[in-house]
């Protein structure tokens, strides 16, 4: 990662500081430590601090899962920012981040002359290309007892990765594997972070995801398709039709009687009837 190409983020006031590491356990853990210190010192109301690593030795997924983060080929980054939002609004930040990643990939693809990349969002926290996962997002909250707190939004993007371990080979992909060309990691970081910081500020004011809803739903891999629900690792028998998110970020699914059920991220996940997507 070329730090000089990222200095603009700081010079333009988009982030307050950038921490770039060769190797860490997890950038989310670095960002959490930082946020906890700010909280202890009651010092950080304007914080937008970015942590990036070339390699994560224990990258984290959700629910104790791990995130494969080999050296130099991907973007492993976490944004720590103070938010004035209640806890139930925090999962919405994952949806904002997914939207920013999808936009960044699509925008840069056009600039470099790629017109047919099938970039989709798999609610709530994955970006897929050709139905394979290229990005995962892990949002955590460090609560302030006085209200709000710090959000750590961790984003992992497989950019120029060409080798995946056996466990994820069938479902993982990278921008390079799906487009056949190398991508500039710094341009993606700059695009995602400048948009994400402004989306988070807007979400804080509006307390609703209404401003991304339509565009998000257009990018949704499952929209108007059959899905099954997975609860505590168990695939349900019943099939539903995915109808996209509402303003709160819940996924609406319709059963065979036409009844709509709201799925809150974190409680249940959604799979295509034939597998992961
Ligand atoms: C996620 O969890 O997708 C959240 C991943 C967040 C990673 C970022 S990197 C920067 C920051 N620092 C961290 O420590 N984490 C964040 P989940 O939905 O639970 O998916 C995890 C599952 O994705 C694993 O169980 C694997 O099946 C699969 N997986 C692991 N590594 C992958 C990779 N590099 N590409 C695609 N799939 C992967």
């Amino acid at each position: 990662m070329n730090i000089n190409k990222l200095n603009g983020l700081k010079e333009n006031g988009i982030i307050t500081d950038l921490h770039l590491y060769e190797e860490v356990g997890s950038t989310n853990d670095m960002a959490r430590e930082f946020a906890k210190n700010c909280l202890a010192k009651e010092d950080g109301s304007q914080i937008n601090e970015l942590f990036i690593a070339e390699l994560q030795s224990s990258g984290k997924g959700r629910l104790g899962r791990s995130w494969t983060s080999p050296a130099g080929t991907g973007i492993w980054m976490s944004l720590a920012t103070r938010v004035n939002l209640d806890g139930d609004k925090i999962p919405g930040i994952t949806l904002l981040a997914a939207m920013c990643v999808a936009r960044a990939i699509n925008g840069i693809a056009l600039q470099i002359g790629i017109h047919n990349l099938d970039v989709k969002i798999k609610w709530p926290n994955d970006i897929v290309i050709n139905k394979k996962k290229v990005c995962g997002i892990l949002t955590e909250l460090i609560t302030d007892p006085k209200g709000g707190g710090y959000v750590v939004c961790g984003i992992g993007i497989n950019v120029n990765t060409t080798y995946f371990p056996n466990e994820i080979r069938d479902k993982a992909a990278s921008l390079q594997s799906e487009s056949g060309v190398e991508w500039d990691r710094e341009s993606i970081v700059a695009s995602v972070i400048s948009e994400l910081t402004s989306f988070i500020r807007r979400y804080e004011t509006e307390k609703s995801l209404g401003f991304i809803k339509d565009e998000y739903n257009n990018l949704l891999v499952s929209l108007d398709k059959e899905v099954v629900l997975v609860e505590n690792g168990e695939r349900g028998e019943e099939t539903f039709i995915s109808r996209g998110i509402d303003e709160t970020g819940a996924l609406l699914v319709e059963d065979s009687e036409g009844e709509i059920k709201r799925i809150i991220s974190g409680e249940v996940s959604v799979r295509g009837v034939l597998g992961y997507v």
Side-chain angles (χ1 to χ4, degrees):
M1 199 75 67
N2 182 342
I3 198 159
N4 294 325
K5 289 203 209 163
L6 294 172
N7 280 340
L9 281 174
K10 205 171 149 188
E11 282 155 13
N12 297 327
I14 293 163
I15 55 171
T16 42
D17 212 349
L18 170 68
H19 307 264
L20 187 56
Y21 305 93
E22 275 309 309
E23 178 174 347
V24 294
S26 151
T27 54
N28 264 39
D29 290 346
M30 304 298 291
R32 283 174 64 98
E33 274 311 302
F34 174 83
K36 280 187 192 157
N37 279 333
C38 289
L39 201 59
K41 288 192 280 186
E42 299 197 6
D43 165 25
S45 56
Q46 305 302 321
I47 285 299
N48 263 322
E49 207 94 351
L50 185 61
F51 297 78
I52 308 185
E54 290 290 356
L55 163 74
Q56 292 186 121
S57 52
S58 42
K60 300 192 297 183
R62 296 174 304 160
L63 307 168
R65 292 189 284 255
S66 64
W67 181 258
T68 304
S69 321
T73 67
I75 295 170
W76 327 124
M77 67 177 173
S78 303
L79 178 74
T81 188
R82 170 93 209 176
V83 290
N84 179 21
L85 286 166
D86 290 340
D88 64 338
K89 296 275 185 299
I90 301 304
I93 291 180
T94 295
L95 276 62
L96 293 178
M99 181 81 232
C100 294
V101 172
R103 274 196 182 182
I105 296 172
N106 278 328
I108 293 168
L110 287 183
Q111 283 168 23
I112 60 178
I114 300 170
H115 296 276
N116 55 355
L117 209 55
D118 179 31
V119 181
K120 295 281 179 198
I121 296 173
K122 180 178 174 291
W123 181 92
N125 71 315
D126 296 351
I127 306 293
V128 296
I129 298 182
N130 302 328
K131 303 194 172 168
K132 291 182 167 185
K133 181 161 172 171
V134 296
C135 166
I137 297 161
L138 173 66
T139 302
E140 301 182 273
L141 174 68
I142 293 91
T143 316
D144 184 345
K146 295 189 197 113
Y150 287 85
V151 142
V152 168
C153 182
I155 302 176
I157 310 174
N158 304 321
V159 181
N160 297 319
T161 320
T162 49
Y163 171 83
F164 291 103
N166 281 339
E167 315 86 80
I168 57 170
R169 191 160 294 159
D170 291 344
K171 72 172 215 182
S174 69
L175 301 183
Q176 178 169 346
S177 73
E178 301 314 289
S179 66
V181 298
E182 263 199 41
W183 291 58
D184 181 54
R185 290 182 297 160
E186 293 83 356
S187 311
I188 302 171
V189 172
S191 168
V192 170
I193 295 301
S194 37
E195 197 144 54
L196 181 58
T197 49
S198 88
F199 273 13
I200 292 175
R201 301 287 84 95
R202 184 158 175 197
Y203 183 44
E204 265 181 319
T205 316
E206 299 185 12
K207 311 259 187 288
S208 156
L209 294 171
F211 67 97
I212 61 153
K213 194 183 97 170
D214 291 346
E215 189 179 342
Y216 185 98
N217 284 337
N218 279 328
L219 285 164
L220 201 56
V221 71
S222 66
L223 190 70
D224 296 331
K225 301 213 171 82
E226 278 196 324
V227 292
V228 293
L229 306 183
V230 179
E231 214 160 348
N232 303 323
E234 297 272 320
R235 267 175 91 91
E237 303 267 296
E238 192 176 357
T239 60
F240 297 85
I241 306 289
S242 160
R243 295 298 185 204
I245 59 162
D246 65 13
E247 292 74 21
T248 71
L251 185 72
L252 307 176
V253 296
E254 185 177 337
D255 70 13
S256 54
E257 319 266 86
E259 290 278 319
I260 299 279
K261 192 174 156 117
R262 288 177 73 242
I263 313 291
I264 313 280
S265 72
E267 283 176 8
V268 187
S269 64
V270 174
R271 298 273 185 284
V273 274
L274 296 178
Y276 163 63
V277 166

